[in-house]
Amino acid sequence: MESKEFTAKTTEEAVRLASEYFNLPLGRLKVEVINAGSNGILGLFGKKKAKILATPTDANSTSMEVREVMRELTGEETSKPSPNRQASRTYTNQGSNDRHGETPSEEGKTTPQPESPEVLESARQVLVRLVDPLDADANIIGESTQYSIELKIDSHEIGILIGRRGQTLEALQYLTTRIVSHQEGRPVRINVDAGDYRKRRVESLQELASRMASKARGTRRPVAIGPFNAQERRIVHLALRNERGLSTSSRGRGEVKKVIISPRY
């Protein structure tokens, strides 16, 4: 497919230009950062603009490319899993913990505080800039809860903003979270929704988990569902954590894995 270079003051702005040029959502662009840009000395001398190479991808592409762009932007290195690391984890109704946050942990628990109005508005403005190439008329509202910043998009282009299986929405949430966390110098939890997609997705996954749990009990055999991303797997684990006689585990490698529902005797 056609590739094209884009230059702007920041990598974020260059990605937006690419999205506008190809008229594609962020989740369907493969982006290579050629130069992350520099503010120079005292912001006056030696300034360099950011340059990227953008290539449209097919509809089956995930937001992995977007994650790579943000790793370049924030200077993070892509972590590689250890070859000795197990590919699956098991959860029971006693509530096992997971390093990737698929199930809640009680250790070191502190009372979260809502983000300040300034951080909330900063997050909203970042999302406005990201959504603008897709729908300039979209309305974005936000609120700061005890656990996260909740941003909701009201748009006539809901289908485009959600994308196939929520991939574009996931990319928007990831980009917003990475940019705001980078600006604040600390992790900031941000949830982005459009057309109540995430709410409906949670309800759908909970219903599926309940139905497959009944099947596992009835057949007395493990049942595999998915594959799901980490957030979706967490929903399934939590939905079944209080089910007696059942355990759930994540199986597979990479970010997308299956959930195995197993009867316990």
Side-chain angles (χ1 to χ4, degrees):
M1 291 186 178
E2 176 191 7
S3 297
K4 183 176 176 61
E5 291 185 358
F6 295 87
T7 303
K9 291 182 180 180
T10 64
T11 307
E12 173 199 353
E13 187 176 347
V15 172
R16 287 180 53 228
L17 291 175
S19 178
E20 290 178 353
Y21 177 85
F22 290 111
N23 194 27
L24 288 173
L26 300 174
R28 290 187 57 191
L29 286 178
K30 180 178 181 180
V31 180
E32 177 185 354
V33 178
I34 300 174
N35 192 322
S38 171
N39 288 328
I41 302 173
L42 299 178
L44 298 174
F45 307 102
K47 283 186 176 181
K48 291 183 179 180
K49 289 188 175 182
K51 180 185 289 187
I52 66 170
L53 178 67
T55 307
T57 61
D58 58 45
N60 293 324
S61 297
T62 67
S63 58
M64 290 295 294
E65 291 84 2
V66 176
R67 293 188 175 94
E68 293 300 326
V69 173
M70 296 313 299
R71 289 190 181 102
E72 293 278 357
L73 177 61
T74 58
E76 290 184 356
E77 293 184 1
T78 305
S79 59
K80 296 182 179 180
S82 168
N84 297 324
R85 185 175 175 182
Q86 292 184 349
S88 64
R89 296 182 178 84
T90 301
Y91 308 89
T92 66
N93 57 1
Q94 278 75 33
S96 300
N97 295 326
D98 179 78
R99 290 173 58 191
H100 290 277
E102 290 179 16
T103 55
S105 172
E106 297 296 328
E107 296 181 7
K109 191 173 182 180
T110 59
T111 303
Q113 297 296 323
E115 295 290 349
S116 68
E118 291 77 17
V119 176
L120 171 61
E121 180 59 19
S122 175
R124 197 187 72 83
Q125 289 297 330
V126 167
L127 185 58
V128 166
R129 294 199 301 271
L130 292 172
V131 169
D132 186 65
L134 307 177
D135 182 5
D137 297 324
N139 181 41
I140 298 174
I141 60 174
E143 65 173 332
S144 185
T145 70
Q146 184 178 4
Y147 297 98
S148 62
I149 288 177
E150 303 291 329
L151 298 175
K152 295 184 179 181
I153 307 172
D154 183 16
S155 167
H156 295 297
E157 303 292 345
I158 289 296
I160 294 176
L161 292 170
I162 293 174
R164 183 176 180 271
R165 295 193 64 183
Q167 290 174 358
T168 303
L169 191 63
E170 181 187 353
L172 289 170
Q173 177 172 298
Y174 186 86
L175 276 170
T176 304
T177 300
R178 295 301 301 150
I179 293 170
V180 175
S181 296
H182 183 64
Q183 290 174 343
E184 296 298 316
R186 60 180 174 81
V188 178
R189 174 168 289 190
I190 299 173
N191 294 321
V192 177
D193 199 1
D196 286 332
Y197 170 81
R198 294 195 185 279
K199 179 182 177 182
R200 289 185 281 109
R201 181 61 173 161
V202 168
E203 293 172 350
S204 174
L205 287 172
Q206 290 173 338
E207 181 182 349
L208 175 64
S210 177
R211 191 167 66 250
M212 292 300 101
S214 297
K215 181 178 179 180
R217 282 199 183 96
T219 61
R220 295 189 176 184
R221 292 185 177 182
V223 175
I225 56 176
F228 302 126
N229 60 35
Q231 188 174 23
E232 292 171 331
R233 294 195 303 273
R234 183 175 186 273
I235 292 169
V236 174
H237 290 311
L238 291 176
L240 299 179
R241 67 176 177 176
N242 293 323
E243 292 284 340
R244 293 183 178 180
L246 290 177
S247 65
T248 60
S249 62
S250 295
R251 185 170 300 172
R253 296 190 178 277
E255 297 203 6
V256 179
K257 304 175 185 177
K258 289 187 176 183
V259 173
I260 311 299
I261 304 172
S262 304
R264 293 188 292 118
Y265 304 104

